Amino acid sequence: MSTRDLGGVVVAAALPYRADDAAPAGLAVDYDTYAEHCRWLVDNGCRGVGPNGSLGEYSSLTDDERRRVARTAIEAVGADGIVVVGVHGPGAHQARYWAEAAAEDGAHGVLCLPPTLYRANRGEVLAHFEAVASVGLPVMVYNNPFDTKVDLTPDLLAEIAQIDNVVAVKEFSGDVRRVLEICERAPGLAVIGGADDVVLESLLMGATGWFAGFPNVFPAESARLFELATAGKLDEARALYEPLVAAFRWDSRTEFVQAIKLGMDMVGRHGGPCRPPRGPLSDAQREQVRADMGRALAALGVA
């Protein structure tokens, strides 16, 4: 698999903190624990990690923290996997800056949303991705119309795919009908499943990767699910997938970061708190996450 191919299971690595009154919101990034976590994900069968995504709370980090998080992931994974760094920014100049930093630090590719604080039009979206792609790293564009209010529809992706170095799209719309349409309209663009709760459906329709959230909790089992799905072993894949879907649905909810971190805590990993604006789960939400995770873990023989 070429390093320009950003497929496989790439985990949007959750970011651990430790209490520190001098740090933003009283929480300092725990780089050593983050490095160990990135290493653990790759050692358990995932192809790589994605630092500085939404799950990595990039928008709550200082610039220095954000750069160090990416470097930590790159150093931890080494030659044993790929690192696809989130370079999201309000404008093309910010996103390009982060792409340049990722290139300097040795990343294999970048993940990039459209402009994050502004509902960009078609021309502005194209200019944004052209600026990021001009850095030279393989680019995975990220379609998250819920957070950005910009929908990278299949016809728009057909245009974006013409930009040199744009190689993939993380598709988070939840509409699995789009997978085949993207493949038809932009045959050179790899479709990467972006929502955990439709990943099997996406892989069966032709997605070649999974940019994943809940594999922070059970990476080996997630890698196995990807392997079964891409090998066409539907019965085995479905038997593994169905008990996990209730937990996976949290990946498409507002509180997905908190839910995944709670799942990590439940299996003895370091999940912990989030920085603002994310607050703690309500009691009802915690109870539901624990129930959904409990079913998944019981099915996997972990609980």
Side-chain angles (χ1 to χ4, degrees), residues 61-252:
L61 302 178
T62 67
D63 284 359
D64 287 345
E65 289 172 330
R66 185 170 174 177
R67 181 79 180 264
R68 188 173 170 188
V69 164
R71 287 173 167 167
T72 299
I74 291 163
E75 291 169 7
V77 169
D80 297 318
I82 63 171
V83 179
V84 184
V85 177
V87 297
H88 322 301
H93 54 301
Q94 292 106 323
R96 177 172 174 164
Y97 167 81
W98 290 115
E100 289 170 342
E104 289 175 11
D105 294 337
H108 299 88
V110 298
L111 176 70
C112 188
L113 286 164
T116 55
L117 299 178
Y118 167 71
R119 191 172 185 171
N121 64 32
R122 196 178 191 96
E124 292 163 341
V125 168
L126 289 167
H128 187 82
F129 290 126
E130 284 169 353
V132 171
S134 70
V135 172
L137 283 177
V139 176
M140 181 188 300
V141 302
Y142 182 3
N143 184 37
N144 185 339
F146 309 103
D147 289 345
T148 65
K149 309 304 179 188
V150 176
D151 191 0
L152 306 182
T153 55
D155 66 297
L156 177 53
L157 285 169
E159 283 193 69
I160 294 170
Q162 301 304 309
I163 300 170
D164 286 346
N165 297 318
V166 171
V167 301
V169 56
K170 176 181 176 181
E171 223 302 296
F172 191 75
S173 73
D175 183 355
V176 294
R177 294 174 298 183
R178 292 191 177 193
V179 176
L180 281 176
E181 188 176 357
I182 295 167
C183 292
E184 291 165 3
R185 290 176 176 262
L189 190 69
V191 180
I192 308 299
D196 289 356
D197 55 336
V198 288
V199 66
L200 180 56
E201 296 88 334
S202 299
L203 291 169
L204 293 175
M205 288 298 99
T208 56
W210 178 13
F211 211 101
F214 267 94
N216 278 285
V217 182
F218 22 70
E221 296 83 358
S222 300
R224 176 64 175 158
L225 174 61
F226 178 83
E227 180 184 297
L228 291 170
T230 52
K233 297 180 179 179
L234 178 56
D235 289 344
E236 291 177 72
R238 184 171 174 177
L240 178 56
Y241 181 58
E242 285 189 358
L244 308 183
V245 169
F248 280 4
R249 289 190 188 111
W250 284 94
D251 186 51
S252 295

